[in-house]
Structures are given as C-alpha cells and as structure tokens.
Amino acid sequence: MVQLDKNLVNTLKLKHSARHLERINDIIPFEGKNVFEIGGHNVLRSISLDALKAKKWICCDYISGASGKHYLPETKEYLQEIVIPINKAKEIENIQRIDFAILDGDVVDLQGFDNKFDMSISINTLEHIADLPGMLNTVKRIMIPGGYHISVWGPIWSGHVGHHINSVFDSVHNKYYNMPNHIPFNAWDHLLLSPAEMYHNLLQNCSDQAAREIVRQTYTSERINRIWFDDYVRFFEMSGMEIVQLTEDWIVSPPDSVASALAEKYPYRKNFSTSAATVVLRKKE
C-alpha cells in the first residue's frame, strides 16, 4: 500500500486527490505502467513517476479557458512543465524519452495514441465531462487490450449536492457559498425547484448577485454535465468495456418527505442517494 508524502502533496496542492490516488493504486498498481490521466489534477512527476513509480504519465485537461486564465496551480513545480495543446499531442506520441506531459484540451479531441496506455484514470472529473460517450470511446481506443480505466467522481447530479456550487461570494453578507456544507438551500432542491423558484427562495438570505450566480451554476453552467447516476451506469454498459467494479462511495438518502416529492416528480428515477462513486472498466482483449 502506497502512502504519499504529505508535505509533497500539500506543496503540489493535491490534498483532495491524494487519497484517491492511493486508493486507485490499491486497485491497480501504477508501478511500471503507462498512465493517461483525464481531468484537473495533473499529478506531477514527483508523485506520478517518483512516488507511484509509473513508467509514463500523460495528463489531459482544459488548462486555459476562453478567457486565457491558467488553471494549473502557480507553484514552481507546475510552472516548469510544458503544456501541449491537444491538437499538437500526436507529435509526441512516439517520442520515447517523454515520460511526462500535460495536454491542454478536450480528451475527445485527442488524436493518435491507439493502444498506448496500460491504464487511464480520472479523479473528480466525470461530472464535468460534457461528452461522456466520446470520452469513453477515447479511453477504450488509447488503452491496450486488457487495460483498465478507473474513475472516482462526484458530486453526481442526482445526489443531494449534485448542483456542485463552487465559491460564490456574497459581498452583502460577507459569506462564501461552497458545496457540500455551505449552501443556502436544502439538499435535493436543485432537483425539486425550478430556476425561478430557486432564485426566489435564495433572495430571502442572499444578495441578488449571489442568488443569480448560484442559479447560473446550478442550472446552466457548463462546469457540470447534470448526468444522473443511473445514466452513468448506462453509458458504462454501452462503452464496450467490461464493468469490473462499480462502488457507490457517498450515499445520503433523502428523508421520507423529500423522497416522496422526488418520486412524484421523477417517477422513472430510482436512485437519489448516490452522490459519489468509483468505477473500474476493462478493455476487452
């Protein structure tokens, strides 16, 4: 069992992903493997290659948005790494001496790298993937036969904090709203209320600006895909890969009154309790 150095984890600002990396390593060890990482953790070489002993580690994420904002932590370890646009990634495909790289762009747009990776991983990323079938197709294509993909993800839209509210500042009341614990509305309200109803309720306790931003993040922001847990499972089943393991990691069941309201509004939905999960997929040989 690998335990990552806490000082190194804090330096690289990977506190929230370190335990998931350790857990994934317990499922399928990274040592000696070519690994493809999808999502915004960009586990640098001091952890991916040195501590986890992977042979090669390629990360893929949206590093710079339309505004040009850079999303990598501004530490010297990150700033010394070269970020490669996704449309240039194929140029490094067969350069053996490159054992670590960060790709900037949508994984669905990745060209080349067929059957190059022993495993792929994503940590707290699937809920942000707009084209999940496209991502799964890419994963299947770039992995070797018998390779594994492991995703740990959440919050899931159908769970109690599926809205994924992130860092909304209310300047009038001098408060930050952030999931999972500092949210000015009830669990599952994102499923039960319309945007107008949510906005009306928020104005009782929030500034107008904060209320509008919370409504935007909840219902229209492209940061989350709003995929229900049951639909994730269907996408996995349709991926052409074998589901080796599917674990519901964060389960919060709605109280009876909320469960009844959810059942009435969504009669064909059954799972409102799973807020985070882990899946292990295997490419068939």
Side-chain angles (χ1 to χ4, degrees), residues 95-112:
I95 302 177
Q96 297 299 321
R97 62 182 174 82
I98 295 180
D99 57 4
F100 182 88
I102 298 175
L103 309 180
D104 180 7
D106 190 336
V107 66
V108 174
D109 296 328
L110 181 68
Q111 300 296 313

Side-chain angles (χ1 to χ4, degrees), residues 2-253:
V2 171
Q3 287 190 317
L4 299 174
D5 180 84
K6 291 183 179 179
N7 292 329
L8 180 60
V9 166
N10 290 335
T11 298
L12 298 179
K13 299 184 179 181
L14 291 171
K15 180 179 178 182
H16 295 294
S17 59
R19 63 187 178 90
H20 295 309
L21 285 168
E22 292 169 347
R23 182 178 168 214
I24 291 171
N25 189 72
D26 287 342
I27 299 171
I28 305 291
F30 293 113
E31 185 170 356
K33 293 185 175 64
N34 296 324
V35 180
F36 192 86
E37 179 198 0
I38 303 165
H41 290 267
N42 304 298
V43 181
L44 286 182
R45 61 180 74 238
S46 52
I47 287 185
S48 59
L49 303 183
D50 298 341
L52 297 173
K53 302 186 185 305
K55 181 180 179 182
K56 176 181 286 193
W57 195 286
I58 306 294
C59 314
C60 181
D61 188 23
Y62 278 113
I63 304 302
S64 52
S67 65
K69 181 178 178 181
H70 201 263
Y71 291 103
L72 286 176
E74 292 189 359
T75 66
K76 64 179 182 180
E77 292 84 3
Y78 281 95
L79 293 175
Q80 71 185 11
E81 295 293 347
I82 297 174
V83 177
I84 302 168
I86 195 76
N87 61 352
K88 302 285 187 181
K90 200 172 188 304
E91 297 176 10
I92 70 167
E93 178 179 356
N94 295 311
I95 302 177
Q96 297 299 321
R97 62 182 174 82
I98 295 180
D99 57 4
F100 182 88
I102 298 175
L103 309 180
D104 180 7
D106 190 336
V107 66
V108 174
D109 296 328
L110 181 68
Q111 300 296 313
F113 294 91
D114 292 10
N115 303 305
K116 293 290 186 181
F117 294 95
D118 303 295
M119 64 186 295
S120 67
I121 68 166
S122 67
I123 296 173
N124 293 340
T125 297
L126 287 196
E127 69 272 21
H128 302 291
I129 299 290
D131 183 0
L132 186 59
M135 187 217 92
L136 293 170
N137 285 340
T138 299
V139 164
K140 184 172 64 172
R141 177 177 61 78
I142 66 175
M143 287 198 305
I144 64 171
Y148 289 88
H149 172 76
I150 303 177
S151 281
V152 181
W153 84 103
I156 296 168
W157 176 249
S158 45
H160 70 301
V161 289
H163 48 75
H164 210 314
I165 296 299
N166 183 55
S167 298
V168 177
F169 181 62
D170 186 335
S171 59
V172 174
H173 301 95
N174 196 31
K175 291 181 180 180
Y176 265 105
Y177 300 116
N178 205 19
M179 58 79 56
N181 298 317
H182 303 288
I183 300 298
F185 55 87
N186 296 322
W188 294 281
D189 272 0
H190 63 290
L191 298 178
L192 292 172
L193 300 180
S194 69
E197 290 168 334
M198 175 74 81
Y199 176 65
H200 175 269
N201 289 358
L202 288 170
L203 288 177
Q204 312 305 310
N205 299 299
C206 302
S207 68
D208 177 74
Q209 183 178 9
R212 287 187 285 112
E213 176 59 14
I214 289 171
V215 169
R216 185 194 72 82
Q217 287 195 20
T218 301
Y219 296 105
T220 62
S221 167
E222 294 182 358
R223 285 187 65 253
I224 58 172
N225 56 29
R226 299 172 186 83
I227 294 177
W228 294 61
F229 179 72
D230 294 341
D231 290 327
Y232 279 108
V233 177
R234 292 187 183 97
F235 281 130
F236 299 149
E237 291 172 341
M238 292 186 291
S239 71
M241 292 181 281
E242 174 191 359
I243 301 176
V244 176
Q245 177 182 325
L246 180 61
T247 306
E248 298 172 38
D249 300 327
W250 187 14
I251 298 175
V252 180
S253 298

